[in-house]
Amino acid sequence: MTITNIVLILVVIGIAIYVIQSSIKKKKNAEVEVQVDVDDKTYTIEKMIEFVKRRLDEITKINLYDIGLSEEELKRRKNKKYELKKALKGCTYGDVNDKKYVKELIFDLLEKEYGVTESNISKAISFDVPSLLTAQDKFDILIYTYKKEFGYEALTEIIKKYNLATLKYVEGETKPSYVITCQEIEEIYEKENIVLNFADKLNVVVQRIYQHYKGYSSIDEVRDMNIDGISGRSIRTSRKFLKSSSTSRW
């Protein structure tokens, strides 16, 4: 065998090793490498829900034994995978700790992988233009803001502060009932004059995504609140969170 042949063999072996190492590295990083095609709809709630569903599905189904992990890293990722599967199952049944875990992961995915920033987050919810916010948007922001201070007493505090637990007539019904109307939410939001930073805005978006993905739609945050016994009354909540009329209610 000539020196030339030996050199060629070594070159081929070197190339093979490089290709194998590159392949292992690519698989190892597959969990975090995501290509996001940006267009006018990229940062809408609908598109972000699709992304979150796909990524969480990938994380829970990835075969960790195929990506060349060290024993320590394999153990760490197996635990993470198990915790996520457990949380996704638990939050379906309303476990608040599992819900918190899943929401924190969604927050990280949107910020670190999907590229949500201060400049594009208002494409999901019009934080910077209050006139474009829906009653649902304003209610979500109010609940989030009050929850930071009062926890699961947030809704109770809003109801007590603005005397919302009163009988009122609603269009289309003959008897008065205990409801919170869209008009009331609009008026409360204007009085509160809320200022949100980027993390606040993203948390509101995360909650909106979560409630459509794993939560209980528009009543998701409401069902976690401690609302029994407010002035000895019960506040009625509708799954049809908002309707088109000004008397839409919770």
Side-chain angles (χ1 to χ4, degrees):
M1 182 178 293
T2 66
I3 294 178
T4 302
N5 288 337
I6 294 175
V7 172
L8 288 173
I9 291 172
L10 291 175
V11 170
V12 170
I13 292 174
I15 293 173
I17 292 174
Y18 174 77
V19 170
I20 291 172
Q21 289 179 335
S22 297
S23 178
I24 291 174
K25 185 177 181 181
K26 185 176 181 180
K27 286 183 178 180
K28 187 174 181 179
N29 294 329
E31 194 172 328
V32 296
E33 290 181 358
V34 179
Q35 279 296 117
V36 178
D37 296 323
V38 179
D39 57 33
D40 292 340
K41 296 182 179 179
T42 299
Y43 298 104
T44 61
I45 294 293
E46 292 74 19
K47 285 291 184 180
M48 286 193 277
I49 290 174
E50 291 177 10
F51 167 77
V52 167
K53 285 182 178 179
R54 185 176 73 253
R55 287 298 289 125
L56 293 184
D57 187 58
E58 290 169 355
I59 294 172
T60 54
K61 291 183 179 179
I62 187 172
N63 189 335
L64 298 174
Y65 293 97
D66 287 346
I67 56 179
L69 299 172
S70 65
E71 185 176 346
E72 183 179 347
E73 180 67 7
L74 177 63
K75 183 178 180 180
R76 188 185 72 80
R77 294 209 190 185
K78 281 176 68 177
N79 289 337
K80 180 181 177 182
K81 183 177 177 180
Y82 170 77
E83 287 177 3
L84 178 56
K85 282 186 173 182
K86 178 177 174 294
L88 288 172
K89 182 178 181 180
C91 66
T92 302
Y93 299 103
D95 187 292
V96 292
N97 291 320
D98 288 332
K99 175 179 178 178
K100 180 181 178 182
Y101 181 90
V102 173
K103 286 173 64 176
E104 287 175 350
L105 180 55
I106 293 174
F107 185 104
D108 288 340
L109 289 174
L110 293 178
E111 183 180 30
K112 297 176 181 177
E113 293 188 17
Y114 203 69
V116 177
T117 64
E118 181 72 58
S119 62
N120 59 40
I121 195 169
S122 288
K123 292 183 179 180
I125 296 176
S126 301
F127 296 104
D128 300 327
V129 187
S131 62
L132 296 180
L133 290 173
T134 65
Q136 170 77 70
D137 296 333
K138 293 177 179 179
F139 181 80
D140 289 349
I141 294 170
L142 284 167
I143 284 291
Y144 168 78
T145 303
Y146 270 73
K147 191 176 177 182
K148 286 174 66 177
E149 182 176 356
F150 300 104
Y152 295 109
E153 301 295 330
L155 184 57
T156 299
E157 288 297 321
I158 294 174
I159 291 171
K160 287 165 60 178
K161 182 177 180 179
Y162 291 99
N163 194 30
L164 300 177
T166 58
L167 278 170
K168 53 185 74 91
Y169 283 91
V170 177
E171 183 181 349
E173 297 187 11
T174 57
K175 295 182 179 181
S177 53
Y178 295 104
V179 297
I180 302 174
T181 68
C182 284
Q183 183 178 349
E184 288 172 323
I185 294 300
E186 299 276 357
E187 293 171 354
I188 293 170
Y189 187 84
E190 186 173 347
K191 291 176 182 177
E192 288 288 332
N193 194 28
I194 297 170
V195 177
L196 303 174
N197 59 34
F198 172 67
D200 293 330
K201 293 175 183 178
L202 187 50
N203 274 311
V204 173
V205 169
V206 167
Q207 171 57 33
R208 181 69 62 83
I209 290 171
Y210 173 85
Q211 66 192 34
H212 287 294
Y213 171 44
K214 280 291 182 180
Y216 292 82
S217 190
S218 52
I219 67 166
D220 185 74
E221 281 287 72
V222 174
R223 71 180 300 278
D224 291 337
M225 296 290 131
N226 299 324
I227 58 176
D228 291 336
I230 299 173
S231 301
R233 307 178 181 99
S234 63
I235 304 300
R236 184 175 62 181
T237 303
S238 171
R239 278 190 176 274
K240 291 185 178 179
F241 215 123
L242 297 176
K243 298 178 182 179
S244 59
S245 71
S246 61
T247 54
S248 301
R249 75 266 190 191
W250 287 260

